[in-house]
Amino acid sequence: MNPQAKTIQIFLPTGEPRGIRIAELTTRIVQAVLVPRSELVTARDRNELNHVAVYFLFGEPEDAAKPRVYIGQTEDARTRLDRHNREKDFWRTAILGISKTQSFTQAHIRYLEWYCVKKAREVNRFDLENDQPCTRPFVPEPMEADILDSFETLSVLVSTLGYPLFEPIVKTETTEKFFCRSRDADATGELVEDGFVVRKGSIARKEIVPSAQEAVTGMRGRLLDGGILAEEDGHLVFAQDYLFSSPSGAAAIVLGRTANGWIEWKDATGRTLNDAKRMSSTVTLDPTDDQEC
């Protein structure tokens, strides 16, 4: 089923495009309120923080292979965000999921918190900061249906605000796969809207050539520490799909050296990623097009 067209309204209460943002689908009651950590004092005066909420704390630690998220729920967003500001260092952005009609109860947000944690673990785009097991709360079946509908709206809003927490890295199976192969390396990948995905089971060359940039060595270390790469029979194997920001970054990790990913990744016919995705077709111009009237 193809996604339906949607209209999303984003309100900037301070007028700053990178400041506090309030997003909503115009036909739904769920709102997503984005608060940069630097704007916590300003946000304290917002009425939206009076609502019960499920919330997300997002950060990108320099020593980690993936961005990180903490998922929670609260009846007192001001106090909870203040506490996290004192106690958690990793995050720089908070997003609150609320009902603009204040129809969420404690039962709603507890179930919504559980479901968000479950889906985030399944998708595995972000490392979860949550270290406690989250038990599925009981809610009546009609309430569960309403909560799942709210989750779908919240998922769209959170992604629109720049955090695709619940979107699979590869949304559908595609036949347009690309390969990066050399001595001791055999990887499969796909170009996606957010970058380039190296697929689970791909083999990377274990040794890094002496001339490789420091960034290659550092990224390799983060992937090993994060369990994305695992040593196996003298090779490094991708234990899960992993999204790189560029084809070149992906190729460098696979080959153990600096690389131009647009050339190194090739399809089954040997055509480079550059030829498949960036080379425009030849356009024949009518010679009269350059003539002035």
Side-chain angles (χ1 to χ4, degrees):
M1 182 181 295
N2 292 327
Q4 293 183 329
K6 301 174 177 66
T7 298
I8 294 177
Q9 175 178 286
I10 298 179
F11 174 55
L12 310 177
T14 66
E16 294 292 337
R18 304 299 297 172
I20 298 169
R21 280 163 272 169
I22 303 171
E24 63 181 274
L25 287 170
T26 54
T27 57
R28 299 299 181 96
I29 65 169
V30 176
Q31 289 181 322
V33 183
L34 183 149
V35 180
R37 191 167 187 168
S38 60
E39 297 292 322
L40 280 178
V41 174
T42 302
R44 288 181 61 84
D45 294 330
R46 297 294 309 173
N47 179 61
E48 290 81 10
L49 271 68
N50 294 332
H51 298 220
V52 296
V54 62
Y55 65 89
F56 312 90
L57 306 179
F58 292 102
E60 297 184 22
E62 294 181 358
D63 59 348
K66 292 181 181 180
R68 191 169 296 169
V69 64
Y70 178 84
I71 302 173
Q73 52 82 21
T74 182
E75 295 182 83
D76 186 349
R78 289 182 181 84
T79 300
R80 187 63 57 87
L81 290 180
D82 283 345
R83 192 182 80 187
H84 287 317
N85 192 34
R86 293 191 304 270
E87 298 177 357
K88 294 185 183 297
D89 292 331
F90 80 92
W91 67 281
R92 65 180 185 184
T93 303
I95 295 181
L96 306 174
I98 65 172
S99 165
K100 62 185 179 182
T101 59
Q102 299 195 27
S103 58
F104 283 170
T105 66
Q106 182 71 341
H108 284 91
I109 60 172
R110 284 187 175 179
Y111 191 94
L112 193 53
E113 175 196 30
W114 169 80
Y115 194 76
C116 287
V117 169
K118 174 178 177 291
K119 296 302 290 185
R121 285 199 173 115
E122 289 175 1
V123 171
N124 202 24
R125 264 184 183 257
F126 288 68
D127 282 333
L128 271 174
E129 183 78 5
N130 299 63
D131 54 7
Q132 297 294 327
C134 195
T135 304
R136 177 176 182 170
F138 171 78
V139 295
E141 187 176 0
M143 179 182 286
E144 181 182 37
D146 288 342
I147 295 169
L148 295 181
D149 184 69
S150 295
F151 169 80
E152 293 301 324
T153 301
L154 184 60
S155 174
V156 171
L157 296 176
V158 170
S159 183
T160 299
L161 290 170
Y163 297 92
L165 177 60
F166 305 111
E167 291 188 24
I169 294 174
V170 179
K171 294 181 180 179
T172 58
E173 287 298 324
T174 175
T175 57
E176 200 169 17
K177 291 182 169 60
F178 292 86
F179 307 91
C180 184
R181 294 172 173 141
S182 70
R183 183 170 60 89
D184 298 327
D186 187 357
T188 302
E190 299 172 39
L191 189 69
V192 297
E193 58 191 12
D194 296 332
F196 194 90
V197 174
V198 176
R199 299 308 298 265
K200 177 180 178 180
S202 292
I203 297 172
R205 186 171 181 263
K206 185 175 181 179
E207 292 77 21
I208 299 176
V209 300
S211 60
Q213 295 179 358
E214 184 178 342
V216 176
T217 304
M219 187 60 182
R220 273 278 188 91
R222 290 191 291 274
L223 292 176
L224 286 165
D225 291 342
I228 290 113
L229 280 176
E231 293 193 36
E232 189 176 305
D233 298 328
H235 298 89
L236 295 178
V237 179
F238 280 80
Q240 58 186 259
D241 293 346
Y242 186 76
L243 176 66
F244 290 87
S245 60
S246 71
S248 294
I253 295 302
V254 168
L255 299 173
R257 58 174 172 81
T258 55
N260 182 345
W262 293 96
I263 303 301
E264 300 288 356
W265 292 100
K266 299 176 182 179
D267 66 14
T269 68
R271 185 175 56 159
T272 67
L273 181 64
N274 182 72
D275 289 340
K277 295 295 185 180
R278 295 206 301 191
M279 295 295 289
S280 59
S281 58
T282 303
V283 178
T284 302
L285 297 177
D286 186 326
T288 62
D289 286 348
D290 290 335
Q291 295 180 2
E292 294 182 355
C293 297

